[in-house]
Amino acid sequence: MAQSKLNIQWFPGHMTKAKREMQSKLSLVDMVIELRDARIPNASKNPLIDEIIQQKPRLIVLTKIDKAQSDMTKQWMKALENETTKVIGLNVLKDNCSKIITQAVMELMKEKRDRQIRKGMNPRAVRCMVCGIPNVGKSTLINRIASKKVLETGNRPGVTKNTRWVKVNKEIELLDTPGVLWPKFDDEEIGVLLAVTGAIRDQVLPLEEIAYFALKFMKEHFPRQLIEVYGIELVDNNYKQFLEIGRKKGFLIKGNEVDYNRTIETFLKDIRDNRFGPITWEIYHEMCE
């Protein structure tokens, strides 16, 4: 990774509004469903959400589990769970989202609902606020739970701009909220990890530095995948490594030069498209040291 300090900040105006809206609607919900990216379970945790939801019961859903290492996901799930927080992993596109989420919500709210029944009350549907960082799969998950397209989706950050209610079934109702990133990344690496996995628009990023970080990580932890996918030999110099990748892929421009920018963009796209197989970018035991 380049030695210069990265300054990755992305806090569009609608996110400030989103935080206020979420705080104002907190009294309307029974619990919170927080989506995080299973590849970066810590970096995709938004400190603003802790401040917003306070002590509400929370279901953490680790999405994109098909793109993360299953053994690492299990370690993170165990570590993140506590008395008021339940954690599950989900492949939003393939799993039975409605059944899995409804069951998890009912388990988390069981004591409260049992108390209501003992008092002679008929518990209404559990109202859940759905939140998380951009591009983590909130709208896709809600559409899958509701078994119909009720929200716009897109493989890019910032699709949802406003809060809205979605009635799923007789047991749960969901309040969708826009993806929120915090105003300042206290840890430089958090911003880089969010960038690598696509939570921040590429247009505002120093892509070369992001790619250097990802390449260094993969050389250290996933060298075989790099060699197999690109048919290259690994070298220490990142610049030369990308030149070799570009040549192997035929990304050439005038004068037989490598199209360096295209090579970097393709490398990051290959990561996000899972071409290298499952990768967890936050290794649990290393973060505990």
Side-chain angles (χ1 to χ4, degrees):
M1 186 173 167
Q3 293 301 308
S4 59
K5 188 171 178 63
L6 291 176
N7 182 27
I8 300 172
Q9 308 298 338
W10 190 58
F11 198 64
H14 77 267
M15 291 190 177
T16 306
K17 178 187 174 189
K19 180 188 173 186
R20 288 197 302 267
E21 282 190 18
M22 289 167 68
Q23 287 173 319
S24 69
K25 289 181 168 58
L26 190 66
S27 62
L28 303 177
V29 301
D30 304 298
M31 58 168 287
V32 172
I33 300 176
E34 180 195 356
L35 274 63
R36 300 192 196 178
D37 189 325
R39 297 169 295 177
I40 49 170
N42 183 63
S44 57
K45 174 188 185 299
N46 190 332
L48 286 183
I49 289 176
D50 275 347
E51 176 189 332
I52 292 166
I53 70 174
Q54 300 167 25
Q55 299 303 312
K56 291 276 185 182
R58 181 185 339 196
L59 172 64
I60 295 177
V61 180
L62 297 181
T63 64
K64 309 183 190 243
I65 58 170
D66 55 311
K67 296 184 177 184
Q69 296 154 265
S70 59
D71 60 331
M72 204 65 62
T73 299
K74 288 175 185 174
Q75 289 184 48
W76 276 108
M77 288 171 64
K78 184 177 180 181
L80 294 172
E81 198 154 293
N82 59 44
E83 293 117 16
T84 59
T85 303
K86 182 176 177 61
V87 186
I88 62 173
L90 203 60
N91 182 333
V92 174
L93 296 176
K94 292 187 177 180
D95 289 338
N96 186 339
C97 297
S98 181
K99 179 180 178 181
I100 294 170
I101 293 292
T102 300
Q103 182 178 334
V105 166
M106 289 298 110
E107 287 177 10
L108 195 55
M109 298 300 297
K110 185 177 187 303
E111 284 189 23
K112 180 179 179 180
R113 291 169 70 83
D114 285 347
R115 284 197 303 270
Q116 290 174 333
I117 291 170
R118 284 196 298 271
K119 292 178 181 177
M121 301 167 62
N122 183 21
R124 55 164 171 72
V126 178
R127 293 172 180 162
C128 313
M129 179 185 289
V130 185
C131 53
I133 65 168
N135 204 31
V136 78
K138 294 186 307 301
S139 297
T140 302
L141 175 64
I142 290 174
N143 287 338
R144 293 275 291 141
I145 294 173
S147 301
K148 58 186 175 181
K149 185 169 182 179
V150 292
L151 302 177
E152 180 189 359
T153 62
N155 187 25
R156 64 189 189 280
V159 172
T160 302
K161 295 293 193 297
N162 301 297
T163 57
R164 72 201 91 180
W165 282 102
V166 179
K167 185 166 178 59
V168 176
N169 52 43
K170 64 179 181 4
E171 295 177 302
I172 61 174
E173 294 178 9
L174 304 178
L175 177 63
D176 185 35
T177 62
V180 179
L181 281 179
W182 45 110
K184 185 176 187 301
F185 300 125
D186 294 326
D187 183 344
E188 176 187 334
E189 189 167 297
I190 286 178
V192 178
L193 291 171
L194 290 166
V196 168
T197 52
I200 306 173
R201 294 184 187 277
D202 282 348
Q203 291 84 345
V204 302
L205 293 172
L207 287 185
E208 183 178 25
E209 287 91 340
I210 301 303
Y212 276 20
F213 173 92
L215 184 63
K216 181 176 182 291
F217 181 91
M218 290 195 64
K219 281 179 179 177
E220 183 178 348
H221 298 285
F222 301 93
R224 179 180 58 79
Q225 287 86 334
L226 273 173
I227 293 167
E228 289 180 356
V229 170
Y230 291 139
I232 56 172
E233 292 184 8
L234 299 184
V235 297
D236 290 336
N237 186 290
N238 282 335
Y239 178 76
K240 290 180 179 178
Q241 192 77 79
F242 279 121
L243 288 180
E244 184 182 1
I245 292 171
R247 287 201 180 278
K248 283 283 187 180
K249 295 188 76 67
F251 294 164
L252 302 177
I253 52 179
K254 188 176 179 181
N256 204 35
E257 296 290 325
V258 170
D259 188 335
Y260 195 70
N261 290 336
R262 183 183 177 193
T263 302
I264 283 175
E265 289 168 4
T266 299
F267 171 63
L268 291 173
K269 185 176 186 299
D270 287 343
I271 289 172
R272 296 161 188 168
D273 290 346
N274 217 25
R275 279 205 67 202
F276 301 105
I279 295 177
T280 299
W281 294 85
E282 290 181 307
I283 299 173
Y284 180 71
H285 62 80
E286 288 188 0
M287 295 196 66
C288 295
E289 291 174 356

